Amino acid sequence: MKALKFISAALALCFLALPVWAEVKIREVVSPGGITAWLVEDHSIPFTALELRFRGGTSLDQPGKRGATYLMAGLLEEGAGGLAAQDYARELESLAARFSYDADRDTVSISAQFLSENRAEAVDLLRLTIHEPRFDQDALDRVRAQVLAGLRSDEKDPNEIASRAFSKMAFGDHPYGSEGEGTIDSVSALTRQDMFDAHEAAFARDRLFVGAVGDITAEELGALLDELLGDLPATGAPIPGPAEVGIDGGVTVIDYDTPQSVALFGHVGIDLDDPRYFAAYLLNQVLGGGSFNSRLMTEVREKRGLTYGVYSYLVPRDLAAVYMGSVASDNSKIAETVEVIQTEWARLATEGVTEKELADAKTYLTGAYPLRFDGNSRIASILAGMQMDDLPIDYVVTRNDKVNAVTLEEVNRVAREILLPEKLHFVVVGRPEGLQSTN
């Protein structure tokens, strides 16, 4: 019962935020051993959130080993050191701590939350996770079965079918061209040694980024980092080079028996470090960034009733950037939906946005930004992400000013430069009426 009470308290503390987002004071901390982290110190609650990011992610998978990094990340909670999976879980529960692990195309991430009174013991347990994973065969078989079940489900999911097809066309043989979860064949063939190899490739100090928020001082954080991460290898496996976005304009129809077609569309995008990015960000908000007032929502949903929702989004990954969108519509309506999206994409490229649209987009984006800082764990994640994106430490203070500084002339110039209607490619999964593949 005592453990359950501690866990309830810990989970509640995970979602407590700092008082005012504008008062977030970020400090750079360098441990005695030379590990850098960003810290937001707050002693109002006896709780700390720690976010560890390792660049590379599932793109580090070796040829023929697709899915190894993803499966490895899923096994990190399945025992470490002298603790088998159940013993590890009981120890974590007794500490009222929470660890979670994930891997995507660019990152392997570890999120940890623990109470101040259990900090030393929680860090010791987390250290075992990072340095001495067991990868026991029974745990490997169990987690592999879960991944395979997900992959089999994905084979019947129109959205996943579209995503996989678009990625393959856009990125070819680059790791971005296939899903990091792997395939049924590749995951089925992975061995225990492959898990150790993937672990060795991913965890190294040359690709590490750390965010910490909560009841911990800079000196305490420095000592924690050296204890937790100081023994990591200096370098990991080489990260693949940039991916060329090879997709061209047109339509690809993938036959699938469903009453509603799903479409994924896009072309080459814009990098996060491009000086035009804030203008592109505002431009996308006008086009289809999630608001019911966007151009695509107005034209496709409100005026014509062709869909429940249509969206566009910038995807600036580490090794390539794409500009994408998604929509679903009845098979009898998807051809018209595609036509309307193509028209709006071209119209915005030539005519640009209006002064009111730009003002509304600024109001929405600057107003929504503080809502991201809604808990210590979220803030720790933001800190690590900012470092990975090479953003300045004062970005949280200056970000809205950068958004507001974008002019109408700048947005419309960027619209002409990055909206490429002739390059826009649609992958449609379903049985669309009046729509055929053009390639």
Side-chain angles (χ1 to χ4, degrees), residues 108-349:
V108 173
S109 59
I110 300 176
S111 303
Q113 300 90 35
F114 42 82
L115 297 172
S116 298
E117 63 183 275
N118 297 332
R119 181 196 300 154
E121 295 87 348
V123 170
D124 286 344
L125 187 61
L126 185 59
R127 190 182 192 284
L128 285 180
T129 296
I130 297 172
H131 292 274
E132 300 180 43
R134 291 170 62 101
F135 301 134
D136 291 330
Q137 189 64 48
D138 61 336
L140 172 59
D141 293 341
R142 182 174 62 255
V143 176
R144 187 209 315 269
Q146 295 169 359
V147 173
L148 290 173
L151 291 173
R152 292 188 181 98
S153 177
D154 289 345
E155 289 184 336
K156 302 175 184 178
D157 184 337
N159 291 286
E160 287 296 327
I161 295 170
S163 177
R164 290 169 183 265
F166 188 95
S167 295
K168 183 62 178 177
M169 286 187 284
F171 302 114
D173 293 332
H174 190 275
Y176 279 6
S178 60
E179 298 302 310
E181 294 89 340
T183 66
I184 290 174
D185 288 342
S186 69
V187 173
S188 297
L190 291 172
T191 67
R192 186 166 178 254
Q193 184 58 50
D194 292 330
M195 299 299 96
F196 286 107
D197 293 343
H199 178 270
E200 182 180 0
F203 289 98
R205 288 176 56 172
D206 66 337
R207 60 205 57 203
L208 169 66
F209 302 87
V210 182
V213 179
D215 184 29
I216 189 168
T217 66
E219 292 73 23
E220 290 168 337
L221 178 60
L224 182 156
L225 293 174
D226 284 346
E227 171 65 21
L228 182 64
L229 304 164
D231 292 340
L232 284 175
T235 60
I239 295 173
E244 294 291 333
V245 182
I247 201 164
D248 209 343
V251 175
T252 298
V253 175
I254 299 175
D255 181 71
Y256 190 79
D257 187 10
T258 176
Q260 179 173 263
S261 290
V262 167
L264 198 64
F265 51 93
H267 57 52
V268 66
I270 182 170
D271 291 327
L272 192 62
D273 60 359
D274 192 303
R276 303 172 297 170
Y277 189 81
F278 277 103
Y281 192 45
L282 284 159
L283 173 70
N284 179 66
Q285 182 62 30
V286 174
L287 176 59
S291 167
F292 277 93
N293 295 322
S294 73
R295 291 270 188 100
L296 292 181
M297 282 290 246
T298 298
E299 296 297 327
V300 180
R301 171 181 163 146
E302 300 301 325
K303 290 186 178 181
R304 296 172 176 84
L306 298 173
T307 185
Y308 178 77
V310 55
Y311 309 97
S312 63
Y313 35 91
L314 299 167
V315 188
R317 298 185 184 126
D318 283 356
L319 306 177
V322 285
Y323 194 171
M324 298 188 67
S326 59
V327 69
S329 186
D330 187 271
N331 283 333
S332 64
K333 299 178 179 178
I334 190 66
E336 183 183 359
T337 300
V338 168
E339 182 181 0
V340 173
I341 293 171
Q342 291 170 324
T343 299
E344 289 306 309
W345 209 275
R347 185 164 74 92
L348 192 55

Side-chain angles (χ1 to χ4, degrees), residues 348-366:
L348 192 55
T350 56
E351 298 178 7
V353 309
T354 67
E355 193 166 342
K356 183 180 185 305
E357 285 176 322
L358 178 58
D360 289 346
K362 289 180 177 181
T363 298
Y364 180 87
L365 293 176
T366 56

